[in-house]
Amino acid sequence: MWEKLFGVSKKKASIEAYVFEDEPRALQNGKQSLQEMSLIEAQYNDFFVTKQGYLVALIQASGINLDLLTVTEQEDVFDEFNAFLMSTLGENSGEIQQYLDITMPVDFSEYVLFWQHRYLQVQQEEPENKAKLSLIASYVDTFSTIASSQEMTTKRHIVVLHEKIPKKHLASLEQTAIELEEKVTLFIRQLENTLSTYDMTARQLTAKECREVLQHLVNFSNH
């Protein structure tokens, strides 16, 4: 999709072809699709491309259990985080960051696949061991049920960073991706250094993980 969006030939296109002018519109009585309403145009590597001409990255940070800290330690956490915000969002920086705390179902897919593979392995090597096969099958059934019912959830702390794509062509997209990667790397390093005392870790979400977050936000009520 992004190839179509950024694949305009310079020789044939006017300057207007490189300008992002999309304005998000509300759905009109069910006559428009979610794609028409969405701010997102496409996905490029581990980033989202918005219709307004921004490249967006999602960063997931580990949480800090404040309940295990004393009042003084809690105050220190907030002071250090405020100092981090001041250093990255100074008055003259022009930077914008968005922080999201999202409750999402625990992903059991890899765990279920492991036990399914283990079941097939035991069935091949020890077909007579019915007790072991039954036990492994119960694991598969239990965790498959939990996954489908979404009974277990976890809190995910997401930071959204973005970078403006100057022009609507592929070279500009690629250069913006390089700049945003550098910004993400610097942000993660600063955040982890600031909160290193509390074992804070952060990482950029992959394309698949970004889609999962987006799908959850769109379908958060499970309707």
Side-chain angles (χ1 to χ4, degrees):
M1 186 180 293
W2 59 264
E3 292 93 336
K4 296 180 180 178
L5 179 65
F6 292 90
V8 183
S9 170
K10 289 185 178 180
K11 294 181 180 179
K12 297 180 180 179
S14 64
I15 188 65
E16 287 78 11
Y18 298 107
V19 178
F20 292 92
E21 295 180 337
D22 183 81
E23 290 291 337
R25 299 183 301 275
L27 290 177
Q28 297 178 359
N29 299 324
K31 296 180 180 180
Q32 290 177 291
S33 67
L34 283 174
Q35 179 58 36
E36 291 174 304
M37 183 191 70
S38 175
L39 297 176
I40 296 172
E41 179 68 33
Q43 194 162 25
Y44 175 71
N45 296 339
D46 292 333
F47 307 109
F48 285 127
V49 179
T50 73
K51 294 177 180 177
Q52 287 71 44
Y54 287 93
L55 203 59
V56 178
L58 303 185
I59 299 170
Q60 179 170 306
S62 61
I64 298 175
N65 193 338
L66 297 176
D67 293 334
L68 299 179
L69 304 179
T70 66
V71 174
T72 301
E73 289 173 329
Q74 291 178 15
E75 292 175 351
D76 289 341
V77 171
F78 288 115
D79 287 342
E80 291 172 16
F81 186 65
N82 286 335
F84 165 77
L85 291 179
M86 291 299 295
S87 66
T88 57
L89 297 172
E91 294 181 1
N92 299 321
S93 70
E95 180 61 45
I96 297 175
Q97 299 169 1
Q98 183 178 5
Y99 290 78
L100 303 172
D101 285 328
I102 308 172
T103 300
M104 293 184 62
V106 176
D107 184 6
F108 282 100
S109 57
E110 290 188 8
Y111 196 68
V112 172
L113 284 173
F114 167 80
W115 284 111
Q116 288 175 335
H117 176 74
R118 180 64 179 146
Y119 180 88
L120 294 175
Q121 186 180 34
V122 173
Q123 191 177 45
Q124 221 175 23
E125 298 174 355
E126 306 174 56
E128 74 288 346
N129 196 339
K130 304 299 181 182
K132 191 172 185 179
L133 286 169
S134 177
L135 179 61
I136 295 175
S138 71
Y139 291 162
V140 174
D141 180 68
T142 298
F143 290 108
S144 296
T145 301
I146 294 174
S148 61
S149 64
Q150 299 185 351
E151 293 177 3
M152 294 184 66
T153 60
T154 183
K155 181 76 76 174
R156 300 181 69 173
H157 309 284
I158 308 293
V159 184
V160 183
L161 300 183
H162 72 272
E163 192 74 23
K164 180 67 176 177
I165 306 171
K167 296 180 181 179
K168 197 174 182 181
H169 60 72
L170 186 56
S172 183
L173 174 65
E174 292 172 341
Q175 180 59 38
T176 304
I178 293 173
E179 294 172 0
L180 186 53
E181 285 177 358
E182 293 174 351
K183 179 188 288 187
V184 167
T185 300
L186 177 61
F187 177 91
I188 290 175
R189 182 166 63 245
Q190 289 178 322
L191 180 62
E192 290 182 337
N193 288 342
T194 300
L195 300 175
S196 59
T197 305
Y198 312 98
D199 296 325
M200 163 67 75
T201 61
R203 65 179 181 86
Q204 182 181 353
L205 296 185
T206 64
K208 179 177 180 293
E209 291 171 325
C210 287
R211 290 195 298 272
E212 290 173 352
V213 171
L214 183 62
Q215 289 165 0
H216 178 73
L217 290 175
V218 171
N219 192 37
F220 67 93
S221 60
N222 293 321
H223 294 315

